[in-house]
Amino acid sequence: MTKRRNLFCFIALWFVTAVGSWAQKPLNEHVPGRLLVQTTPGVDASAAEQALARAGARVHHRIDQIGVAVLEVPEQALDAVTKALESSGRFTFIERDFVAHGMATPNDPDFSQQWHLGKIQAASAWGLTTGSATIPIAILDSGADPTHPDLAPKLLPGWNFVTGTSNTADNGALGGHGTAVSGAAAAVTNNLTGVAGVGWNNTVLPLVVLDSTNYASYSNIASAINYAADHGARIISISIAGPTASSTLQSAVDYAWSKGAVIFAAAGNSGTSTPVYPAACNNVLAISATEPTDTLASFSDYGTWIDLSAPGDSILTTEKGGGYWSCYGTSLATPIAAAVGALALSANPSLTASQLVSLLEQNSDDLGTPGYDQYFGWGRVNAYKAVLAAKSLISTADTTPPTVNISAPSPTATVVGTVSVQGTATDNVGVMKIELDVDGTAVGTASSSPFSFSWNSTTASNSSHSLAVKAYDAANNVGSAVVMVNVSNALPDTTPPTVNISAPTSGATVAGTISVQGTATDNVGVTKIELDVDGAAVATATASPFSFSWNSTAKPNGSHTLTIKAYDAANNVGSASVSVMVNNPTQATVLDTTPPVVVITQPVSGSPVSRNVGITVSATDNVGVARVSIYLDNIQLCNDTLAPYTCSWNTRKSATGTHTITATAWDAAGNAGNASPVTVTLTK
């Protein structure tokens, strides 16, 4: 894969500012007293050593795979030693050991949905493959939190190139850059905890190159790339970048490529077309970031060196310390794209590096200009299309059924109540579906191994029963295992669930939309939780603790009873109630008929505009503005409910010439006010 740029790979230093204050060092920072050299092919090793000794350079260590020596040189003598080594004619290149930086900027952790999974059709892809633990994703970053419940089961033993130890715990760069990146790629999925990772079953190989101050030496980056390739990682994700020249990085990239690895690297967050590296190196997929609206993120770099794009704004992911946060940046887009590559490779491990790159480019979602463009490359990654294409390239028909092993319960075991059916299912290509049958009837399905089903044996008679687990692969081959168990349940369950309402408290005065919260527990298990208001059901849930939102304006002011009912599998019902006093503002006797006053304050009518245009609207009302809609040529651009009312018009797909901007505001009574139209002239 050759970039649309010059053949040399230039390394550079990049700065990222996180939320809060971060100290920044000057551009072109390098490791003090450090040079990187590569001996010219054919030059005798002793002759090269003599040249190093005469120049006053000492070998600190070597990166053997690419023939690079890391030298220690007095800082004040760097220029002189460089000239001496160049004049010897015994080295392919001599360069300083520059540093690069992590690219993500964290946001407030207030997003409850992972919009990016829908954009890349992750769920459809998981229907074909959930990935494979044998296809790890190497993450070159600040490490990963080994205690995070959504990462711990996924982390492989890696290496810390900063400390020279096996400790790969996140060192806290940018608040936990590596933990965020790792979660975006492969957080534990289908575990009822936190977030889902694109690489459902793919593991993470953490390689620490970014120190706690957000710097990474190029020699460590190169060494980590080589380490990943040597340890069988065929997917490498690097959310680090810089703009200074280096042949060392290109040599490491080429070495990994030769071993079948594909590197995904962040394009950068400066919003310019200036190339950053390793993203702009040959044989690296440079990833730009997209918004939920399928536009290029305003912070994302772009240029003819971009290969693909991926969602990169408001990405809910794992946070160092065990929590979750929403982050943005090409640092998040990169592991998402890398994980799509891992899913495709899991579906067809025989793909070469070149085949995988072509497959990802040809099966992306084309955004922007048809075909290739400098903003989205060949398009936004699509996991489903990529996996489907990967499977279509499998040349040999699969006739081998999966192998199933049931580890619990043991054969002829006596069981009562809820029974956990556990085990593993493996396949030469990949398991697509796992099914639990009881006496020949399907009662549950799963999509990954190891599996764990919960079977309520109280629904069966006290006798011998057959538990069969069937595993299906993509070719619909079926493997199975069976155990016979003896059900011996005691008396029927007659114990109702216990309900506790923690909010609101009984006797509280409430208004507007209120939150009804609490817990429901049962000796066997709660199956349904219901909120009743004055005896009428208004909402249901299935999990405890529960939280319902109730709009009290639907009831007249006065006392009302809120009841929570909890049901178990035996249909026992437990409940708890609180009485609250609803006190909403009384409606005025005269209906509100006054519409809002709306004015478009920006842009000014008659003015020329170009590129991204910011539209600002002022809206006032005698009671209050409920919503403002902004239109371009009578087509709605956006809605806003909070002042100031703004909208961004991306003019890239609009024709040059005259365009009309209008706006309408509504109040709570449904009165609508219209702004005077603003006419602008688009120039490009």
Short mmCIF file of all heavy atoms in Angstrom, two decimals, residues 418 493 495 497 520-528 566-572:
data_model
loop_
_atom_site.label_atom_id
_atom_site.label_comp_id
_atom_site.label_asym_id
_atom_site.label_seq_id
_atom_site.Cartn_x
_atom_site.Cartn_y
_atom_site.Cartn_z
N THR A 418 -32.49 -22.48 39.70
CA THR A 418 -31.85 -21.99 38.48
C THR A 418 -30.52 -22.70 38.30
O THR A 418 -29.66 -22.67 39.19
CB THR A 418 -31.63 -20.47 38.55
OG1 THR A 418 -32.90 -19.83 38.68
CG2 THR A 418 -30.95 -19.96 37.28
N ASP A 493 -42.12 -22.01 44.58
CA ASP A 493 -41.69 -20.72 45.13
C ASP A 493 -42.91 -19.87 45.45
O ASP A 493 -43.71 -19.54 44.56
CB ASP A 493 -40.80 -19.99 44.10
CG ASP A 493 -40.40 -18.60 44.56
OD1 ASP A 493 -40.48 -18.31 45.76
OD2 ASP A 493 -39.99 -17.81 43.68
N THR A 495 -42.47 -17.11 47.70
CA THR A 495 -41.94 -15.89 48.33
C THR A 495 -41.95 -14.74 47.34
O THR A 495 -41.32 -14.80 46.29
CB THR A 495 -40.50 -16.12 48.81
OG1 THR A 495 -40.48 -17.23 49.70
CG2 THR A 495 -39.97 -14.87 49.52
N PRO A 497 -41.17 -10.95 45.76
CA PRO A 497 -40.02 -10.05 45.81
C PRO A 497 -40.21 -8.96 46.87
O PRO A 497 -41.34 -8.66 47.30
CB PRO A 497 -39.99 -9.44 44.40
CG PRO A 497 -40.76 -10.40 43.55
CD PRO A 497 -41.81 -10.96 44.43
N ALA A 520 -35.44 -3.91 43.81
CA ALA A 520 -36.36 -5.04 43.95
C ALA A 520 -35.52 -6.32 43.99
O ALA A 520 -34.70 -6.56 43.11
CB ALA A 520 -37.35 -5.09 42.79
N THR A 521 -35.69 -7.12 45.05
CA THR A 521 -34.93 -8.35 45.21
C THR A 521 -35.87 -9.53 45.42
O THR A 521 -37.03 -9.36 45.84
CB THR A 521 -33.96 -8.24 46.41
OG1 THR A 521 -34.71 -7.95 47.60
CG2 THR A 521 -32.95 -7.12 46.17
N ASP A 522 -35.36 -10.74 45.13
CA ASP A 522 -36.18 -11.94 45.25
C ASP A 522 -35.29 -13.13 45.57
O ASP A 522 -34.11 -13.15 45.21
CB ASP A 522 -36.95 -12.19 43.95
CG ASP A 522 -37.94 -13.34 44.08
OD1 ASP A 522 -38.92 -13.20 44.84
OD2 ASP A 522 -37.72 -14.38 43.44
N ASN A 523 -35.85 -14.14 46.25
CA ASN A 523 -35.07 -15.31 46.61
C ASN A 523 -34.64 -16.12 45.40
O ASN A 523 -33.65 -16.86 45.44
CB ASN A 523 -35.86 -16.20 47.57
CG ASN A 523 -37.15 -16.73 46.93
OD1 ASN A 523 -37.84 -16.00 46.23
ND2 ASN A 523 -37.47 -17.99 47.17
N VAL A 524 -35.37 -16.00 44.28
CA VAL A 524 -34.99 -16.68 43.03
C VAL A 524 -34.54 -15.67 41.99
O VAL A 524 -33.44 -15.72 41.48
CB VAL A 524 -36.16 -17.53 42.48
CG1 VAL A 524 -35.77 -18.17 41.15
CG2 VAL A 524 -36.54 -18.60 43.50
N GLY A 525 -35.39 -14.72 41.68
CA GLY A 525 -35.01 -13.71 40.69
C GLY A 525 -36.22 -12.89 40.28
O GLY A 525 -37.32 -13.43 40.10
N VAL A 526 -36.03 -11.57 40.13
CA VAL A 526 -37.09 -10.67 39.68
C VAL A 526 -37.19 -10.74 38.16
O VAL A 526 -36.16 -10.65 37.46
CB VAL A 526 -36.82 -9.22 40.14
CG1 VAL A 526 -37.84 -8.26 39.54
CG2 VAL A 526 -36.84 -9.15 41.66
N THR A 527 -38.39 -10.89 37.63
CA THR A 527 -38.58 -10.98 36.17
C THR A 527 -39.17 -9.70 35.58
O THR A 527 -38.96 -9.43 34.40
CB THR A 527 -39.48 -12.16 35.80
OG1 THR A 527 -40.75 -12.00 36.46
CG2 THR A 527 -38.84 -13.48 36.21
N LYS A 528 -39.94 -8.93 36.38
CA LYS A 528 -40.54 -7.69 35.86
C LYS A 528 -40.77 -6.72 37.01
O LYS A 528 -41.11 -7.12 38.12
CB LYS A 528 -41.87 -7.98 35.14
CG LYS A 528 -42.47 -6.74 34.46
CD LYS A 528 -43.76 -7.06 33.71
CE LYS A 528 -44.94 -7.22 34.66
NZ LYS A 528 -46.24 -7.25 33.94
N ALA A 566 -43.14 -5.74 41.86
CA ALA A 566 -42.09 -6.61 41.34
C ALA A 566 -42.61 -8.04 41.25
O ALA A 566 -43.25 -8.54 42.19
CB ALA A 566 -40.86 -6.56 42.23
N TYR A 567 -42.36 -8.71 40.12
CA TYR A 567 -42.84 -10.07 39.85
C TYR A 567 -41.65 -11.02 39.74
O TYR A 567 -40.59 -10.65 39.21
CB TYR A 567 -43.63 -10.12 38.54
CG TYR A 567 -44.84 -9.21 38.48
CD1 TYR A 567 -44.70 -7.84 38.27
CD2 TYR A 567 -46.12 -9.73 38.61
CE1 TYR A 567 -45.81 -7.00 38.21
CE2 TYR A 567 -47.25 -8.90 38.54
CZ TYR A 567 -47.09 -7.54 38.34
OH TYR A 567 -48.17 -6.72 38.27
N ASP A 568 -41.82 -12.26 40.27
CA ASP A 568 -40.80 -13.27 40.03
C ASP A 568 -41.33 -14.30 39.03
O ASP A 568 -42.45 -14.16 38.52
CB ASP A 568 -40.34 -13.93 41.33
CG ASP A 568 -41.47 -14.66 42.06
OD1 ASP A 568 -42.52 -14.94 41.43
OD2 ASP A 568 -41.31 -14.97 43.25
N ALA A 569 -40.52 -15.33 38.73
CA ALA A 569 -40.89 -16.31 37.70
C ALA A 569 -42.14 -17.11 38.10
O ALA A 569 -42.87 -17.60 37.23
CB ALA A 569 -39.72 -17.25 37.43
N ALA A 570 -42.40 -17.22 39.41
CA ALA A 570 -43.58 -17.95 39.88
C ALA A 570 -44.79 -17.03 39.96
O ALA A 570 -45.83 -17.42 40.49
CB ALA A 570 -43.30 -18.58 41.24
N ASN A 571 -44.63 -15.81 39.46
CA ASN A 571 -45.70 -14.80 39.43
C ASN A 571 -46.09 -14.30 40.82
O ASN A 571 -47.20 -13.78 41.02
CB ASN A 571 -46.95 -15.32 38.70
CG ASN A 571 -47.66 -14.19 37.97
OD1 ASN A 571 -47.02 -13.25 37.48
ND2 ASN A 571 -48.98 -14.27 37.87
N ASN A 572 -45.20 -14.48 41.80
CA ASN A 572 -45.40 -13.83 43.08
C ASN A 572 -45.15 -12.34 42.90
O ASN A 572 -44.26 -11.94 42.14
CB ASN A 572 -44.43 -14.38 44.13
CG ASN A 572 -44.64 -15.87 44.37
OD1 ASN A 572 -45.74 -16.30 44.72
ND2 ASN A 572 -43.58 -16.67 44.20
#
